[in-house]
């Protein structure tokens, strides 16, 4: 029931051109994921669920308020007619809070840290779809400077925030913030690149989360002991992380390349330069993960206790598919 409601909420938002229906879809979506987040009854999970609920409820209320304001001034509930600047600014702020764009990103690492890896995967991929669909639809009526500022701040904060982390879920949360920034920065010039970046982000993040689930790792220290259990998985994981960082022979390079090219085409060299340098920040913590996984192999002593070798119950196909997509899609460019 909960998973179908989760799907239904997102689909409702996709299908709507009326603000109330879009709001209803977001609301169903939030209410469906909340029991999924708290299903393990762990105090951290309950705390994360509470934080998530408060932020999403605030954002939904803001969307409702802004769309009502817009309808009150213009007389239409249609999404394409956001002619009122106050309403459009409020709506982009609410949607940025929903997907965790900086400076409304503070809930994201904490919430993701409290969840188990599969719910975390749903939160960082599926839950981004509906708000991003709304952002793409309303992007033309939003102040371009605001969108650029949101995108730049998100990539910079997503890079800086992750540098000091040792918890893998928090690192992935900051990586998600940075990727969202890349999507928003190019939105007003080439929305199709936003969709491309979202698609590649979903593949790479799925591969990362499913790998961590397979080796049940939540800290950097645990990664150092994975190689002896599954050497091939270790190799592909290192590549997936580099793909998230956006290195050339891998899929993750494609959206970065095209977005930088588009920014240069729009004669925004400074923005493109800042984005490229922010990508370096993100790359640093992916490289730290790669280092912990593949370059601290014996004869070095491991810094952490070796975990129990439990046989994983996870289906191998989704992980294989996500990994292949995260590594080999660059020729599509």
């Amino acid at each position: 029931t909960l998973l179908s409601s989760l799907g239904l909420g997102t689909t409702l938002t996709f299908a709507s051109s009326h603000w109330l229906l879009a709001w209803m879809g977001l609301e169903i979506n939030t209410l469906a994921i909340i029991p999924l987040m708290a299903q393990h009854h762990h105090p951290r999970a309950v705390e994360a669920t509470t934080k998530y609920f408060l932020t999403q409820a605030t954002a939904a209320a803001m969307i409702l308020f802004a769309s009502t304001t817009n309808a009150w001034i213009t007389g239409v509930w249609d999404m394409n007619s956001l002619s009122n600047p106050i309403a459009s600014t409020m709506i982009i702020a609410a949607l940025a809070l929903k997907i965790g764009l900086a400076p409304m990103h503070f809930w994201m690492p904490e919430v993701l840290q409290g969840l188990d890896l599969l719910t975390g995967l749903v939160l960082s991929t599926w839950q981004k779809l509906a708000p991003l669909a709304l952002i793409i639809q309303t992007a033309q009526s939003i102040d371009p400077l605001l969108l650029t500022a949101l995108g730049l701040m998100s990539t910079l904060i997503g890079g800086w925030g992750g540098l000091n982390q040792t918890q893998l879920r928090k690192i992935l949360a900051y990586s998600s913030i940075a990727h969202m920034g890349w999507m928003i920065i190019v939105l007003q010039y080439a929305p199709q690149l936003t969709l491309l970046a979202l698609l590649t982000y979903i593949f790479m993040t799925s591969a990362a989360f499913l790998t961590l689930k397979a080796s049940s790792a939540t800290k950097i220290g645990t990664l150092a002991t994975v190689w002896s259990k599954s050497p091939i998985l270790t190799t592909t994981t290192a590549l997936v992380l580099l793909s998230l960082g956006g290195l050339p022979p891998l899929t993750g390079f494609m959206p970065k390349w095209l977005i930088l090219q588009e920014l240069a085409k729009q004669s925004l060299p400074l923005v493109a330069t800042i984005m490229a340098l922010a990508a370096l920040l993100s790359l640093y913590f992916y490289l730290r993960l790669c280092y912990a996984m593949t370059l601290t192999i014996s004869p070095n002593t491991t810094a952490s206790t070796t975990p129990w070798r439990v046989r994983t119950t996870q289906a191998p196909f989704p992980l294989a598919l996500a990994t292949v997509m995260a590594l080999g899609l660059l020729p599509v460019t």
Side-chain angles (χ1 to χ4, degrees), residues 41 46 60 86 101 117 165 182 194 225 234 236 272 293 297 309:
H41 302 298
V46 175
I86 303 175
L101 280 171
L117 290 162
Q165 303 292 340
W182 279 92
T194 301
T225 60
T234 310
T236 54
M293 274 196 98
I297 295 178
R309 305 278 182 227

Side-chain angles (χ1 to χ4, degrees), residues 124-203:
S124 45
T125 54
W126 185 256
Q127 291 300 90
K128 305 279 190 228
L129 295 178
L132 260 170
L134 293 185
I135 291 180
I136 290 172
Q137 284 185 60
T138 55
Q140 297 314 315
S141 56
I142 296 161
D143 182 20
L145 190 64
L146 181 64
L147 278 179
T148 310
L150 280 173
L152 278 176
M153 274 195 74
S154 299
T155 38
L156 282 167
I157 286 177
W160 260 316
L163 291 183
N164 227 359
Q165 303 292 340
T166 55
Q167 299 284 345
L168 295 175
R169 285 166 294 188
K170 277 195 176 174
I171 287 181
L172 283 167
Y174 279 111
S175 124
S176 164
I177 294 168
H179 278 278
M180 290 293 141
W182 279 92
M183 288 171 216
I184 296 300
I185 198 88
V186 77
L187 179 58
Q188 48 198 323
Y189 309 113
Q192 63 274 19
L193 285 188
T194 301
L195 285 174
L196 177 78
L198 177 66
L199 199 64
T200 50
Y201 161 76
I202 286 178
F203 282 138

Side-chain angles (χ1 to χ4, degrees), residues 3-309:
L3 283 172
S4 56
S5 301
L6 196 65
L8 173 76
T10 306
T11 317
L12 261 182
T13 308
F14 281 169
S16 63
S17 58
H18 189 290
W19 274 116
L20 271 182
L21 192 61
W23 168 79
M24 205 181 308
L26 291 171
E27 205 61 18
I28 291 172
N29 201 349
T30 306
L31 291 178
I33 201 172
I34 280 182
L36 292 174
M37 289 165 84
Q39 64 186 338
H40 295 299
H41 302 298
H42 192 283
R44 290 280 166 81
V46 175
E47 182 192 344
T49 311
T50 313
K51 285 176 182 169
Y52 184 73
F53 172 72
L54 289 173
T55 52
Q56 299 299 306
T58 310
M62 273 176 76
I63 289 171
L64 198 54
F65 179 53
S67 52
T68 313
T69 309
N70 188 56
W72 187 37
I73 292 171
T74 60
V76 267
W77 282 94
D78 202 44
M79 264 183 211
N80 303 323
S81 53
L82 257 186
S83 50
N84 183 28
I86 303 175
S88 63
T89 309
M90 265 196 295
I91 277 186
I92 188 70
L95 291 169
L97 178 62
K98 270 215 177 282
I99 60 172
L101 280 171
M104 289 78 112
H105 66 283
F106 292 99
W107 60 272
M108 179 95 186
E110 268 86 3
V111 168
L112 209 57
Q113 180 55 34
L115 307 178
D116 70 314
L117 290 162
L118 287 180
T119 321
L121 172 64
V122 171
L123 182 72
S124 45
T125 54
W126 185 256
Q127 291 300 90
K128 305 279 190 228
L129 295 178
L132 260 170
L134 293 185
I135 291 180
I136 290 172
Q137 284 185 60
T138 55
Q140 297 314 315
S141 56
I142 296 161
D143 182 20
L145 190 64
L146 181 64
L147 278 179
T148 310
L150 280 173
L152 278 176
M153 274 195 74
S154 299
T155 38
L156 282 167
I157 286 177
W160 260 316
L163 291 183
N164 227 359
Q165 303 292 340
T166 55
Q167 299 284 345
L168 295 175
R169 285 166 294 188
K170 277 195 176 174
I171 287 181
L172 283 167
Y174 279 111
S175 124
S176 164
I177 294 168
H179 278 278
M180 290 293 141
W182 279 92
M183 288 171 216
I184 296 300
I185 198 88
V186 77
L187 179 58
Q188 48 198 323
Y189 309 113
Q192 63 274 19
L193 285 188
T194 301
L195 285 174
L196 177 78
L198 177 66
L199 199 64
T200 50
Y201 161 76
I202 286 178
F203 282 138
M204 297 183 297
T205 309
S206 310
F209 268 106
L210 291 170
T211 307
L212 296 181
K213 182 82 179 68
S215 54
S216 60
T218 54
K219 290 192 192 64
I220 290 187
T222 323
L223 286 181
T225 60
V226 174
W227 64 272
S228 56
K229 182 188 174 192
S230 43
I232 297 176
L233 188 62
T234 310
T235 317
T236 54
T237 311
L239 289 173
V240 164
L241 287 167
L242 294 177
S243 179
L244 268 167
L247 288 189
L250 307 163
T251 308
F253 180 57
M254 171 166 60
K256 286 193 167 48
W257 177 21
L258 294 173
I259 286 172
L260 287 177
Q261 187 182 348
E262 181 64 35
L263 288 173
K265 210 184 285 178
Q266 301 285 348
S267 64
L268 294 166
L270 186 64
V271 176
T273 311
I274 297 175
M275 294 295 282
L277 292 175
L280 275 181
L281 287 169
S282 302
L283 184 63
Y284 177 77
F285 56 80
Y286 298 126
L287 277 175
R288 259 176 72 212
L289 295 187
C290 287
Y291 177 79
M293 274 196 98
T294 54
L295 299 174
T296 50
I297 295 178
S298 65
N300 298 345
T301 51
T302 51
S304 64
T305 50
T306 310
W308 284 97
R309 305 278 182 227

